[in-house]
Amino acid sequence: MNVHIIEMPLDYGGRRHGSDMGPSAIRLAGIRKKLEGIGHTVITDSKNIEIIPQENVDIGANPKAKYLEPIVKACTELADVVKSSAEKEEFPLVLGGDHSIVLGTVAGLHSAYAKKGKRLGVLYVDAHGDFNTDQTSPTGNIHGECMSACAGYGLDALVNLYEEGRKVDPANICYVGVRDLDEGEKKLMKEAGVTVFTISDIDRYGFDEVVKKVKLFFKTRCDVVHISFDMDSLDPSIAPGTGVPVPGGMNYREALLLMEEMHMTGLVKSMEVVEVNPILDVRNETAVMAVNIAARLLGEKLF
């Protein structure tokens, strides 16, 4: 297929600088060569979305939604690119950047698929819920408020980004690998009705059983699936190059298997990989893992 690599070097949404260099790190780790090696045509933009360095941007007046205006502007641009790509039946592969970029990716996908009557689902692979609002966020960092906004909760500026209203039904959102939730977002996630498979669920039922449940979840309710993969879903002992590391995460083999199994559903039409921070990485290992995770989703096989 035609895989459209979209670089989104935005790190306004988090507290630690460096994820803006994530797209470059993933590019240097060989994402293009890897995908072409398994038969895909890789498309890149000659002119990428321009992001002004964070230190040159006004943080804004709302301490519960830091850098709100520049994030909305950048994600609106991203939404337009993703929408165009999806409408051309390319596979948008968005490289972040912090997780606030999901606002733009999902907005663009919703705009492309809603007019075709297709039900969009999101598999959110992350240590965190990112389901706070400006009322519950303990930090005011928008990468922790982004998925709730996609589901219709939070500030109007985020909920109505690109087009008015929520971009994905919470009933079609499934989390895997969660292990660090704030009390306010935990309550909202339960009220919204998202499905969550925590690290404890993986330990309790086994990874194979969780994967079966995830596949059944999407097969029975969605026409297309977007995967939003945060590298902090992996244990920091193997993926050190990420901004908000939490011990006790998934191992590398589990992440690869999940991607292989999701590929086999035939439902996944887009992906983003976020929170690669080369400043914190060791020999670009986290970026290399990001490349291999994307390749497994796009059909790479061991044998």
Side-chain angles (χ1 to χ4, degrees):
M1 70 175 78
N2 294 329
V3 179
H4 184 183
I5 294 179
I6 305 164
E7 296 191 10
M8 190 63 175
L10 184 147
D11 73 345
Y12 301 154
R15 64 181 174 85
R16 301 182 79 170
H17 296 321
S19 61
D20 57 326
M21 294 184 282
S24 295
I26 296 171
R27 182 173 4 100
L28 292 171
I31 184 72
R32 183 180 193 123
K33 183 178 180 181
K34 172 73 82 169
L35 297 183
E36 289 177 340
I38 56 179
H40 297 299
T41 299
V42 175
I43 300 164
T44 55
D45 294 315
S46 57
K47 184 180 179 184
N48 289 314
I49 297 168
E50 250 184 65
I51 309 291
I52 300 170
Q54 190 186 77
E55 56 269 23
N56 297 330
V57 174
D58 188 352
I59 195 171
N62 187 350
K64 287 295 187 177
K66 299 170 184 174
Y67 299 102
L68 176 63
E69 188 175 326
I71 286 173
V72 168
K73 180 179 182 296
C75 287
T76 299
E77 290 183 49
L78 174 61
D80 209 40
V81 176
V82 170
K83 177 185 178 181
S84 175
S85 182
E87 286 178 336
K88 288 185 281 190
E89 297 188 354
E90 298 169 347
F91 186 103
L93 176 57
V94 186
L95 308 180
D98 70 64
H99 219 152
S100 64
I101 70 170
V102 74
L103 289 158
T105 305
V106 172
L109 295 172
H110 169 266
S111 185
Y113 293 128
K115 64 179 67 174
K116 298 179 181 179
K118 291 187 176 182
R119 299 166 297 171
L120 174 64
V122 176
L123 174 58
Y124 210 75
V125 188
D126 200 326
H128 308 91
D130 296 344
F131 220 84
N132 276 297
T133 69
D134 59 313
Q135 300 300 308
T136 65
S137 174
T139 65
N141 294 325
I142 288 178
H143 74 166
E145 305 174 23
C146 53
M147 200 58 212
S148 51
C150 290
Y153 300 91
L155 288 169
D156 287 346
L158 298 179
V159 172
N160 297 321
L161 186 144
Y162 198 57
E163 293 177 351
E164 285 193 13
R166 75 181 185 190
K167 307 308 186 293
V168 59
D169 187 339
N172 294 341
I173 298 171
C174 181
Y175 285 82
V176 172
V178 172
R179 57 192 186 278
D180 184 16
L181 296 175
D182 299 314
E183 285 305 314
E185 70 176 335
K186 189 188 300 185
K187 181 181 178 182
L188 184 56
M189 289 168 80
K190 289 178 179 178
E191 289 176 1
V194 301
T195 296
V196 179
F197 294 103
T198 67
I199 280 294
S200 293
D201 291 324
I202 291 172
D203 292 339
R204 185 174 293 112
Y205 304 118
F207 196 71
D208 185 55
E209 187 61 29
V210 168
V211 171
K212 287 178 183 176
K213 291 181 178 187
V214 171
K215 290 168 67 177
L216 182 62
F217 175 91
F218 288 113
K219 285 179 178 179
T220 55
R221 66 187 71 203
C222 299
D223 302 306
V224 291
V225 175
H226 170 64
I227 293 183
S228 191
F229 197 104
D230 192 318
M231 293 304 291
D232 72 20
S233 61
L234 301 177
D235 193 84
S237 64
I238 59 169
T242 188
V244 192
V246 183
M250 292 193 303
N251 65 45
Y252 191 25
R253 284 160 48 196
E254 289 170 337
L256 294 174
L257 177 62
L258 177 60
M259 295 300 100
E260 286 184 14
E261 291 292 317
M262 289 305 297
H263 169 76
M264 288 191 286
T265 67
L267 295 172
V268 183
K269 304 300 180 185
S270 56
M271 181 190 198
E272 67 201 334
V273 184
V274 302
E275 301 286 0
V276 171
N277 188 329
I279 291 175
L280 305 171
D281 208 0
V282 178
R283 296 185 298 274
N284 216 30
E285 290 173 359
T286 306
V288 170
M289 281 188 272
V291 168
N292 291 329
I293 285 166
R296 290 295 177 91
L297 178 67
L298 284 160
E300 184 185 48
K301 298 183 183 301
L302 289 175
F303 182 73

